Amino acid sequence: MTTIMIRELADQEETEAVARALAAHLRNGDVLALEGTLGIGKTVLARAIIRVCMGAPVEVPSPTFTLLQSYEAKDVTIHHFDLYRIEAPEEAYELGIEDAFEDDVSLVEWPERIAGLLPAGTLVLRLEPGRGGDGSRRLAISSGDPDWVARLAGLDT
């Protein structure tokens, strides 16, 4: 796993700025694993990415209870998975996760619930509490796929 970027995010606006910059580099077949504890900002990242890809303001509810929300953008379909409530990785197959991983952009909250099913080229976005203890966040972006390293070189936020 290669670390592509580590950044301190002071607030929600900075989190959204990183998400917007990242969204510009997405293409079909991309899988983003959004890691972190409950309430750390995974859904904030996902919402900002979805809104950029949609090209217009759109309501983006958390899929905590539905497990999946899908969005048809102009150039891509985005699947926002929240796997917090699944009990076994095999349950993700019922959501059509294999096809989503192959054909579309997938944002996966709680990816550790299906770790063995994630593609090798998954981009991992790990959110942790910031060092200041003031509500800031620390975002680490990494992947085992050298293509991501090249695509996100100089990620401008």
Side-chain angles (χ1 to χ4, degrees), residues 6-132:
I6 298 176
R7 178 154 176 208
E8 288 286 322
L9 305 169
D11 52 29
Q12 183 170 329
E13 288 77 26
E14 284 191 18
T15 302
E16 291 171 347
V18 169
R20 286 190 301 272
L22 179 61
H25 298 276
L26 297 180
R27 58 185 180 218
N28 289 324
D30 287 343
V31 177
L32 283 67
L34 308 174
E35 297 182 344
T37 59
L38 190 65
I40 197 74
K42 298 179 299 293
T43 302
V44 170
L45 273 171
R47 281 183 178 133
I49 290 169
I50 292 164
R51 287 179 176 143
V52 167
C53 292
M54 293 297 290
V58 62
E59 184 176 339
V60 181
S62 174
T64 300
F65 294 103
T66 59
L67 305 179
L68 169 64
Q69 293 286 336
S70 295
Y71 303 87
E72 295 289 333
K74 185 174 90 174
D75 298 323
V76 67
T77 298
I78 305 159
H79 301 286
H80 182 193
F81 295 92
D82 185 326
L83 305 178
Y84 183 75
R85 297 179 54 234
I86 70 167
E87 295 183 18
E90 298 77 29
E91 292 178 39
Y93 291 125
E94 296 173 24
L95 301 172
I97 207 161
E98 287 177 302
D99 290 335
F101 285 176
E102 186 174 320
D103 300 328
D104 304 316
V105 171
S106 299
L107 309 175
V108 183
E109 294 189 45
W110 303 100
E112 62 274 14
R113 307 255 188 203
I114 62 159
L117 302 179
L118 291 171
T122 297
L123 185 69
V124 177
L125 289 82
R126 173 95 184 135
L127 283 163
E128 299 174 343
R131 295 185 179 152

